[in-house]
């Protein structure tokens, strides 16, 4: 029951931009004007018909590198989000429904992990681990799953005490039915919106790590890494570093707009149809 | 003992316990994970003898538990160990850097806290009006901007184009106070922008929550003026949630410092941490990580205590 | 005068509302916002020192009318037409500053939930005298002296010192009286009472009601008394105005409204509790037998149930009556296995039930069904009516496809709802329809016993009446037994065959309905029975006089 006319302008902007970014990420080799890592001109050439966004600190075409950067950024952030989400949601739901010692143990451990700022703990762990994409995904995914855990547990606990769940328990329904048929459909919209927020967090986290030189390693680069590569140019008035930074901001804003819309559309348990 | 003292004591004890658990976690995170510290210091080409020597020197051959308690004992007596790369006492290096970081965070907080509360109040006062919408639009943008985007935009315009302020924030001992302030204007502004939106949104929600209570309606039906309603009825109940919001955001600010310090090459703890993560200097990373965690946890404890103290049910038990 | 009521004996006119129209903007999910009319062309007159009762079901607009006398609209509500003339001037024309001058001085307000209406961070006295100080009608000393007098008049304990307490330090019934004192403290001309006793237990309600009535009489203040309970308003009001869907239905003297209602709707409200029900004698063996059950929450020392024994016979209704905290809902939890008892046994259909829910056999679960107070949270909002009713059929009888659909249609028919409801979601049903669907879900399991936990208390009286009639009808068709948990004695009289009265975790009186409701009574049952408001002028005074026991709220 999705009425296109009812989608607000902000959500349209978000949807279109997000689609554009994902499109660049998926089809990078076909749409990038130059090959990956190819040196095509002088260092930090200004924008021109030849190089729409100019060239970077080694004379590579910035647009081509941005498009390949989109691929790295979106791919790693999506993998980390998928990991944090499945881990956090499964453990959170289980903790809420099973309760008892499992719930206590998990919740205390998550409290502990969350009492250290994510970036700091990420840096501590990365000081001993090799900087590979797999490590990045694992570290980001596991650290961020704590937030998903808290949310899914809280949502599930709220629903679990409602009379309709009690009615299902009195009927004799099994745990699977209760989790998947009674609780999950009602927890979906906050979780979907959270999915967007977690993805943004992953993009920002990855960019920060790469900017600090601890994320994606050269010659590959995500957008955060590209900011690092070109940051020396800023003091000479060369804005090359601002372009990938702005792209990160644009991606984050557009996903935020979509997530906001999803949350507002079905923010309570009242509307039966709107959840579709 | 009054229940409020008991609750506060409990919260502080819990915080101390948490700090110990965090120290275990940080230690475990750097010691038990795969990856050989000696190997990473000396690189792939190191000879087995050199590796063995270094392991011996670092005490890596002792069981993890022993090493943890040695480390913890040092931390508790103010000895954070020796940096692997520079062979300097970490405590001595860390001191001035911690001071610099706190100096930066302090000025960012001085500006952002009143500003956030003011904007939050404005947003509530003109709820759903253009001011509220503008503020929430700004909040959305600012939570989506990475710190370095904000930071380099500031550098690009105010340091490079307009040349009002230095692009790099150099501070040193004995620097005149006003010069020091001038040096941190840009990084402090970046930090303010990073936390402002979040703090403002949470303040708005906290005040709104109070303003929608039934007792505000009662006050309105007594014929009190808008000012009296806010001063006498809303404010006493909103103060705790606001202090809570502020503390949580200061904790957030302390973390934001890491990236901002790197942007402005500011000699603080964040810069120190990042440098030594890249050099895989584990003792420094452990020490700085622990200090960051301690600051973060303390601010969270203060936030909780503020909430406890402001609750009339706890202050005046039955 | 063209009004339905003659005002020949009335004094000076205080409030004159003419042709009031009130609208609100609503934002239905997924639709464009639209304007709805909440109050439509209502006029009323109130003379000095008189009490007008505003009565109606939810959505009748009675609170909205009450608040309009202070020029106040709650939420997005706006007064869009008509005049509100108070003490000879139209207050809607005076602007905000004019309204501020009259609020808390000429008109004061007593809310339904005093617990929420008091500011938790100030002492009671500061809040009680605040309006008088703000409007400069008294010095702090005078106002405080007056407040203490009012506390005494409202029979609050320790009137000299209760003002030093904080709201959370006094009980709900007391807080409601402090709120009345707060309204009276600035000596207003008019007080709006908005369901002031609805949230209270029945034995507490009677005290608060008496206190309010005395205070109104002694101070000579006029009042708008808003409630959904005719029996309550009959005790305090001089005149009653019946409202429905924002429109006036009938307006008259209290005696006329309750004794000779002229409109059909008023008549329905007046005679709502009159259900004819013939008490059935106990049979040989009970279907459910609760023996010496003792229970506590989470291993705590406080027993919520103490040595409780009751029997229920097939096709009959046992009503369990008690106030909040009496343990009546806990009894239901013990029987369903949600709270395994510490001691005692529960026998059902000749077999001994396992204490824990997890250990029970599927047939035990099937034959013992439950209906809840809040029908809207008892149904999964993401399931259609068809799924909700059909699931027990699949689960217990393995019915699928067409067979199941046919049975669902049959059940919908039984609860007097058409087949068109199969694809509806709970959010698209009215309160009464939701409760009917819950009944159908219980019936689908072909149960021998249904536990009904306060199933009518969240519903408007007429709707509740329909549900009770339906339950009785189904009982005679299906021979199902009910364990009916309620705080409402009127409901009990309508449907029970036997009654158990619970007080602080024990059954204080138990037996066939005719025996239980017949003297001699024990003290608690006496108090409970005397506290149920009757639609009789002068009942309140008689009830207070005849009591042997203080109510629990004191």
């Amino acid at each position: 029951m999705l009425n296109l006319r009812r989608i607000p302008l902000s959500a349209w902007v978000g949807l279109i931009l997000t689609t554009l970014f994902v499109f660049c990420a998926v089809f990078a080799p076909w749409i990038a004007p130059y090959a990956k890592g190819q040196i095509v001109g002088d260092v930090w050439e200004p924008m021109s018909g030849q190089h729409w966004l100019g060239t970077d600190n080694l004379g590579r075409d910035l647009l081509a590198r941005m498009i390949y950067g989109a691929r790295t950024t979106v791919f790693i952030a999506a993998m980390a989000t998928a990991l944090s989400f499945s881990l956090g949601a499964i453990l959170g739901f289980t903790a809420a429904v099973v309760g008892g010692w499992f719930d206590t143990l998990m919740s205390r451990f998550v409290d502990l992990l969350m009492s250290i700022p994510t970036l700091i703990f990420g840096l501590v762990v990365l000081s001993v681990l090799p900087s590979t994409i797999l490590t990045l995904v694992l570290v980001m995914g596991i650290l961020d799953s704590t937030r998903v855990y808290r949310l899914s547990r809280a949502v599930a606990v709220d629903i679990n005490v409602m009379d309709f769940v009690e009615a299902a328990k009195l009927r004799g329904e099994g745990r699977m039915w209760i989790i998947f048929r009674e609780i999950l459909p009602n927890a979906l919209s906050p979780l979907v919106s959270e999915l967007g927020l977690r993805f943004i967090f992953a993009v920002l986290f990855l960019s920060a790590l790469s900017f600090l030189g601890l994320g994606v390693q050269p010659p590959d680069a995500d957008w955060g890494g590209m900011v690092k590569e070109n940051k020396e140019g800023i003091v000479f008035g060369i804005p090359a570093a601002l372009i990938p930074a702005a792209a990160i901001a644009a991606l984050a804003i557009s996903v935020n707009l979509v997530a906001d819309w999803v949350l507002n559309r079905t923010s309570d348990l009242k509307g039966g149809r709107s959840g579709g | 003992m009054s229940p409020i003292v008991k609750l506060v004591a409990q919260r502080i004890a819990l915080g101390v316990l948490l700090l110990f658990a965090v120290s275990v976690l940080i230690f475990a995170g750097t010691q038990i994970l795969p990856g050989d510290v000696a190997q990473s210091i000396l690189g792939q080409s190191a000879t087995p003898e050199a590796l063995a020597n270094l392991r011996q020197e670092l005490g890596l051959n002792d069981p993890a538990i022993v090493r943890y308690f040695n480390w913890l004992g040092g931390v508790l007596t103010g000895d954070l160990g020796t940096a692997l790369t520079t062979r300097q006492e970490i405590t001595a290096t860390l001191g001035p850097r911690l001071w610099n970081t706190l100096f930066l965070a302090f000025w960012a907080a001085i500006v952002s806290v009143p500003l956030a509360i003011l904007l939050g109040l404005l947003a509530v006062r003109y709820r759903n009006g253009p001011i509220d919408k503008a503020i929430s639009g700004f909040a959305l943008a600012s939570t989506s901007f990475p710190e370095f985007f904000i930071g380099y935009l500031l550098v690009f315009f105010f340091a490079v184009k307009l040349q009002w302020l230095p692009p790099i924030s150099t501070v040193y001992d004995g620097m005149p106070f006003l010069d020091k302030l001038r040096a941190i204007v840009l990084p402090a502004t970046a930090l303010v922008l990073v936390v402002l939106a979040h703090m403002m949104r949470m303040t708005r929600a906290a005040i709104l929550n109070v303003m929608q209570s039934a007792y505000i309606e009662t006050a309105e039906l007594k014929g009190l003026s808008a000012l009296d309603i806010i001063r006498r009825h809303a404010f006493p109940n909103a103060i705790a949630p606001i202090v809570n919001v502020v503390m949580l955001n200061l904790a957030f600010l302390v973390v934001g410092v890491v990236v901002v310090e790197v942007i402005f090459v500011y000699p603080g703890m964040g810069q120190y941490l990042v440098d030594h993560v890249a050099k895989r200097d584990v003792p420094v990373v452990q020490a700085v990580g622990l200090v960051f965690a301690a600051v973060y946890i303390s601010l969270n404890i203060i936030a909780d205590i503020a909430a406890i103290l402001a609750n009339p049910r706890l202050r005046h038990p039955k | 005068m063209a009004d339905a009521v003659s005002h020949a004996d009335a004094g000076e006119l205080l409030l004159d509302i003419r042709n009031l129209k009130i609208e609100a903007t609503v934002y239905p999910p997924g639709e464009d916002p639209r304007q709805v009319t909440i109050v439509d062309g209502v006029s009323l007159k109130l003379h000095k020192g008189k009490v007008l009762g505003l009565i109606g079901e939810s959505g009748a607009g009675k609170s909205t009318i009450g608040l309009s006398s202070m020029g106040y609209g709650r939420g997005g509500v706006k007064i869009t037409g008509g005049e509100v003339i108070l003490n000879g001037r139209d207050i809607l024309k005076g602007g905000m500053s004019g309204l501020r001058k009259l609020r808390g001085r000429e008109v004061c307000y007593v809310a339904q939930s005093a617990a929420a209406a008091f500011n938790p961070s100030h002492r009671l006295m500061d809040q009680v005298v605040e309006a008088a100080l703000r409007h400069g009608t008294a010095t702090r000393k005078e106002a405080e002296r007056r407040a203490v007098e009012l506390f005494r008049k409202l029979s609050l304990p320790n009137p000299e010192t209760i003002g030093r307490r904080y709201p959370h330090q006094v009980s709900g019934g007391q807080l409601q009286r402090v709120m009345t004192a707060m309204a009276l403290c600035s000596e207003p001309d008019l007080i709006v009472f908005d369901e002031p006793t609805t949230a209270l237990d029945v034995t507490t309600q009677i005290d608060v009601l008496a206190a309010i009535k005395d205070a109104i009489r002694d101070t000579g203040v006029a009042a708008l008394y808003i409630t959904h309970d005719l029996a309550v308003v009959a005790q305090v009001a001089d005149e009653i105005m019946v409202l429905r869907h924002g429109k006036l239905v009938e307006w008259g003297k209290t005696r006329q409204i309750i004794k000779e209602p002229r409109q059909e709707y008023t008549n329905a409200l007046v005679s709502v509790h009159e259900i004819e029900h013939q008490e059935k004698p106990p049979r040989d063996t009970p279907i459910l037998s609760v023996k010496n059950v003792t229970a506590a929450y989470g291993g705590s020392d406080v027993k919520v149930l103490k040595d409780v024994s009751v029997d229920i016979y097939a096709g009959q209704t046992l009503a369990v009556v008690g106030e909040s905290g009496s343990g009546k809902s806990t009894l239901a939890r013990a029987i369903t296995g949600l709270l395994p008892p510490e001691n005692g046994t529960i026998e059902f259909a000749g077999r001994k039930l396992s204490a824990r829910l997890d250990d029970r056999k599927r047939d035990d679960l099937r034959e013992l069904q439950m209906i809840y107070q809040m029908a809207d949270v008892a149904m999964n909002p993401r399931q259609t009516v068809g799924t909700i009713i059909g699931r027990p059929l699949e689960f217990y009888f393995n019915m699928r496809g067409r067979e199941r659909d046919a049975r669902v249609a049959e059940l919908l028919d039984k609860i007097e709802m058409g087949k068109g409801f199969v694809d509806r979601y709970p959010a698209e049903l009215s309160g009464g329809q939701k409760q009917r669907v819950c009944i159908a879900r219980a019936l689908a399991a072909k149960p021998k016993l249904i536990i009904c936990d306060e199933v009518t208390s969240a519903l408007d009286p007429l709707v509740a009446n329909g549900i009770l009639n339906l339950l009785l009808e189904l009982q005679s068709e299906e021979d199902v037994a009910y364990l009916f948990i309620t705080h409402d004695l009127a409901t009990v009289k309508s449907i029970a065959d036997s009654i158990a009265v619970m007080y602080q975790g024990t059954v204080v009186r138990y037996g066939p309905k005719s025996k239980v409701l017949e003297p001699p009574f024990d003290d608690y049952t006496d108090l409970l029975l005397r506290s149920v408001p009757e639609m009789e002028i002068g009942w309140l005074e008689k009830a207070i006089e005849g009591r042997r026991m203080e109510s629990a709220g004191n």
Side-chain angles (χ1 to χ4, degrees), chain C residues 148-418:
Chain C
V148 171
E149 256 167 57
L150 287 166
F151 292 156
R152 193 168 289 129
K153 190 190 294 295
L154 289 156
S155 31
L156 281 159
N158 311 320
E160 302 286 344
T161 55
I162 194 169
R164 275 185 236 147
R165 293 172 163 256
Y166 283 85
H168 66 271
Q169 292 171 323
V170 302
S171 75
Q174 291 170 3
L175 213 49
Q176 209 70 42
R177 277 178 271 173
V178 177
M179 184 140 203
T180 308
M182 180 159 90
L184 286 163
C185 189
S186 43
E187 298 183 321
D189 299 324
L190 172 67
I191 297 183
V192 179
F193 290 96
D194 193 353
E195 305 256 15
T197 63
T198 306
L200 304 174
D201 263 326
V202 62
T203 58
T204 317
Q205 158 169 301
I206 180 171
D207 286 328
V208 175
L209 200 58
I212 289 177
K213 185 172 183 178
D214 289 350
I216 291 176
R217 190 192 55 220
D218 296 350
T219 56
V221 69
L224 284 177
Y225 196 102
I226 297 159
T227 176
H228 66 280
D229 191 339
L230 250 179
V232 165
V233 81
Q235 306 311 314
V236 291
D238 301 302
E239 291 171 11
I240 292 175
M241 185 176 246
V242 182
L243 296 155
R244 190 184 197 190
H245 305 319
K247 291 200 172 81
L248 175 72
V249 175
E250 188 171 357
W251 175 18
K253 297 265 180 214
T254 301
R255 181 175 302 279
Q256 179 253 307
I257 294 284
I258 62 173
K259 292 299 171 201
E260 303 141 18
R262 296 185 187 138
Q263 299 292 322
E264 202 181 321
Y265 179 69
T266 314
N267 192 33
L269 284 182
V270 170
S271 53
V272 69
H273 285 308
E274 292 166 12
I275 293 180
E276 284 302 311
H277 177 62
Q278 192 61 47
E279 177 186 325
K280 301 186 232 21
R283 299 185 187 179
D284 298 341
T285 48
I287 179 89
L288 180 89
S289 183
V290 176
K291 285 184 187 138
N292 311 98
V293 162
T294 298
Y297 281 104
S300 130
D301 282 341
V302 186
K303 307 285 180 244
V304 211
L305 289 179
K306 296 168 205 155
D307 200 24
V308 170
S309 303
V310 286
D311 289 331
I312 304 172
Y313 299 93
Q316 299 197 4
T317 303
L318 167 70
V320 178
V321 208
E323 297 182 276
S324 47
S326 64
K328 56 190 195 303
S329 289
T330 311
L331 178 61
R333 293 181 73 78
I335 294 172
T336 52
L338 287 168
L339 181 73
E342 291 177 354
N343 276 310
T345 55
I346 300 167
E347 275 173 36
F348 181 57
R351 7 181 237 273
K352 189 168 170 283
L353 281 182
S354 308
R356 278 162 38 86
L357 177 64
D358 291 349
D359 303 335
R360 292 195 182 173
K361 288 191 275 309
R362 187 169 282 206
D363 264 351
D364 291 336
L365 299 174
R366 178 180 69 75
E367 291 178 347
L368 206 169
Q369 292 290 312
M370 177 133 178
I371 311 174
Y372 295 84
Q373 174 175 6
M374 307 298 274
D376 37 357
V377 289
M379 290 185 287
N380 190 331
R382 304 278 175 207
Q383 292 174 356
T384 60
V385 168
T387 315
I388 291 166
I389 303 179
R391 179 61 191 169
L393 299 174
E394 287 172 8
F395 187 76
Y396 294 125
F397 305 112
N398 220 4
M399 278 188 199
R400 308 279 151 175
R402 202 164 295 162
E403 189 192 5
R404 189 195 71 149
D405 294 346
R407 177 72 180 138
V408 169
E410 203 178 305
L411 285 162
L412 277 174
D413 196 47
K414 265 193 195 303
I415 56 167
E416 293 150 19
M417 280 166 72

Side-chain angles (χ1 to χ4, degrees), chain B residues 213-215 217-218 220-226 228 232-234 236-237 312-318, chain C residues 67 70 72 74 100 103-104 109 116-122 127 130-131 134-135 166 168-169 179 182:
Chain B
S213 313
Y215 55 78
E217 185 181 277
T218 307
E220 224 165 309
L221 291 177
K222 279 179 184 172
L224 302 191
S225 65
D228 268 352
R232 285 191 41 79
H233 290 279
N237 293 297
R313 284 167 190 277
L314 295 174
R315 241 182 10 222
H316 311 284
K318 289 208 178 193
Chain C
L67 286 168
M70 313 176 81
Y72 185 79
R74 203 174 258 162
R100 273 204 200 105
R103 289 179 187 167
Y109 180 72
F118 274 105
N119 190 326
S121 16
H122 295 303
Q127 305 192 52
E130 188 176 17
R134 155 75 178 82
H135 296 289
Y166 283 85
H168 66 271
Q169 292 171 323
M179 184 140 203
M182 180 159 90

Side-chain angles (χ1 to χ4, degrees), chain B residues 115-177:
Chain B
L115 198 59
I117 292 176
L118 188 73
L119 289 173
L121 278 169
L122 274 180
V124 172
R125 176 69 187 78
Y126 301 101
R127 187 149 62 95
N128 295 331
I131 294 185
D132 189 20
K133 292 232 167 78
I135 287 176
S136 70
F138 163 69
L140 173 74
S142 131
T143 42
S144 309
F145 284 3
E147 290 98 337
F148 47 77
F149 185 49
I150 298 174
Y152 284 127
L153 273 181
L154 292 174
V155 172
F156 190 76
F157 287 105
F158 294 101
V160 179
K161 293 286 174 197
L162 297 169
Q163 307 220 332
W164 288 353
L165 293 156
I168 285 175
S169 308
T170 319
V171 291
Y172 48 85
D173 272 350
M175 189 172 176
F177 181 70

Side-chain angles (χ1 to χ4, degrees), chain C residues 83-101:
Chain C
E83 293 163 277
V84 178
I85 297 164
L86 180 77
N87 280 328
R89 66 179 193 289
D90 187 350
I91 63 166
L92 302 180
K93 298 210 172 83
M96 202 53 214
S97 68
L99 287 177
R100 273 204 200 105
K101 281 197 196 100

